[in-house]
Amino acid sequence: MKGSGFTGSIPGGRALFDLANSREEPIPFYGELGSNNPVFVTKQAASLRGAEIAAEFVGSFTLGAGQFCTKPGTLFIPRNSGMREALAAAALPPGAKLLNSRIQSGYVEVLQALSGHASTEVLVQGSDPLADPPSPTLLVTGIEDLLADPRAPQAECFGPTALVVEYDDEEQLVAAAKTFEGQLTATLQAEESDEVAQLVRIAASKAGRVLWNQWPTGVSVTYAQQHGGPYPATTVASSTSVGTAAIARFVRPVAFQNFPQHLLPAELQDGNPLSNPRLVDGRTVS
C-alpha cells in the first residue's frame, strides 16, 4: 500500500493518520474527518429572502437524514429579522434511518450534549428526536454565548440536527468565523451590496469551498471542485476527494531528464504519438 483515503470521524481518521505516519515506510493519508459547514446570513439577505433561506436551510440540513459531510451545521441569522420565527414554524421531514447503529448512538450522544448546553435551547424538533430513526432537531443560541465558548456548539452532529445562532451586528459574524477550525465549506447568504469582504477572506482561510447564495450539501464532479479543507476537515488541505483533480492523490510525479526519445514514455516523446495536450516550457501545446 502506497497511499490511503478515508471518510469518517475525527477520532477514527486521526488514529489512521497516526498509523499511516508511524509505518516503517510512511504513506500519504488523505482523510476527510469532520466539518460543521457554517452558513452566515446578512441582515439585508434576511430582510429580502429570510423565509426562502429558512426553507432552503431546512431542506439542506435534513437531506439524507443529515448524513452529508457537507451538511450545514450552524446557521447565523440576525436577531429580530423574522427568521427565527420562520425556522420555528418550518415543517420538518419525518425521521429517517441513519447508516448504522454506531452512527445512531454517536448522533444521540452529540445531540444530547448540544441540547444540554447551558446556553442552548430547542427551537423546533420532531416528535422522536432521540429515536431510531431520529426526527430532525433545530437548536438555537446567541452569538455572545457562542463566542464565549465556541468549541462545544461547533461539534459536528452527524445526523438531522443543526444549530441556529442569533447575532446583533454583522461584525460579530467575522469574530464568529475566526473561531471555527478547518471546514469543508463555508456559505454566505448575502447581497452584492453587503460589505462582507473581510468575512469572505476569513471563510476562505477556514474552508476549502466558499459558497455565495447556494447550499453546500451537493458536491459536483467537475474541474473546479474542491472537496477538502484545513485540518480537521481533512488531513491534506491542498487535496480534493471529489472532482477531476482527485486522481492526483494516487499518482506520483516522475521527471525524466536528458533521456533519448525511445526510452521516454509516449506521453513525453517530442513527436507526441498519442496526440495528448501537453505543457512545453509552461505553454499548452497539442
Side-chain angles (χ1 to χ4, degrees):
M1 180 184 292
K2 297 294 185 179
S4 179
F6 170 83
T7 297
S9 68
I10 293 176
R14 184 54 196 248
L16 292 173
F17 174 79
D18 292 341
L19 182 62
N21 284 279
S22 66
R23 287 168 46 119
E24 183 176 352
E25 179 190 355
I27 60 172
F29 179 76
Y30 299 98
E32 181 187 309
L33 309 185
S35 192
N36 185 282
N37 306 300
V39 178
F40 303 92
V41 183
T42 65
K43 292 184 176 182
Q44 188 174 194
S47 175
L48 295 173
R49 301 181 284 116
E52 176 186 345
I53 293 170
E56 291 176 350
F57 172 71
V58 170
S60 187
F61 96 82
T62 60
L63 185 65
Q67 296 173 102
F68 279 68
C69 53
T70 50
K71 179 201 80 175
T74 304
L75 179 72
F76 292 87
I77 64 171
R79 277 195 176 99
N80 304 316
S81 64
M83 284 197 66
R84 175 174 178 146
E85 291 74 17
L87 289 163
L92 300 177
K97 192 78 173 175
L98 301 187
L99 290 170
N100 56 51
S101 59
R102 180 64 189 92
I103 288 177
Q104 168 71 25
S105 61
Y107 167 75
V108 169
E109 180 181 345
V110 177
L111 173 55
Q112 289 178 319
L114 287 173
S115 58
H117 195 274
S119 64
T120 302
E121 60 182 284
V122 173
L123 181 59
V124 60
Q125 64 185 176
S127 57
D128 296 302
L130 302 179
D132 184 4
S135 54
T137 294
L138 264 182
L139 304 171
V140 65
T141 190
I143 187 73
E144 58 283 343
D145 294 309
L146 181 135
L147 291 174
D149 178 22
R151 285 292 173 260
Q154 291 171 9
E156 182 184 26
C157 190
F158 193 74
T161 284
L163 175 68
V164 176
V165 181
E166 293 188 293
Y167 71 88
D168 299 296
D169 191 299
E170 287 179 0
E171 289 186 0
Q172 293 173 313
L173 296 181
V174 174
K178 290 179 179 179
T179 68
F180 280 88
E181 296 181 308
Q183 304 292 317
L184 292 171
T185 73
T187 299
L188 277 74
Q189 291 288 338
E191 302 302 313
E192 290 192 17
S193 58
D194 284 325
E195 296 182 3
V196 291
Q198 186 179 8
L199 180 59
V200 172
R201 286 193 295 272
I202 299 301
S205 74
K206 298 288 185 176
R209 181 161 56 108
V210 183
L211 297 91
W212 178 269
N213 290 342
Q214 292 184 335
W215 296 96
T217 327
V219 179
S220 59
V221 181
T222 62
Y223 288 98
Q225 187 58 261
Q226 174 58 31
H227 189 64
Y231 185 86
T234 67
T235 56
V236 184
S238 60
S239 176
T240 179
S241 62
V242 179
T244 57
I247 190 64
R249 289 176 157 197
F250 300 107
V251 297
R252 181 176 64 86
V254 177
F256 290 85
Q257 183 170 335
N258 201 37
F259 269 76
Q261 292 293 304
H262 73 282
L263 291 178
L264 287 172
E267 294 85 352
L268 299 180
Q269 293 173 13
D270 290 346
N272 193 12
L274 301 181
S275 300
N276 288 333
R278 307 186 298 181
L279 282 178
V280 177
D281 293 332
R283 293 182 300 172
T284 302
V285 298
S286 42

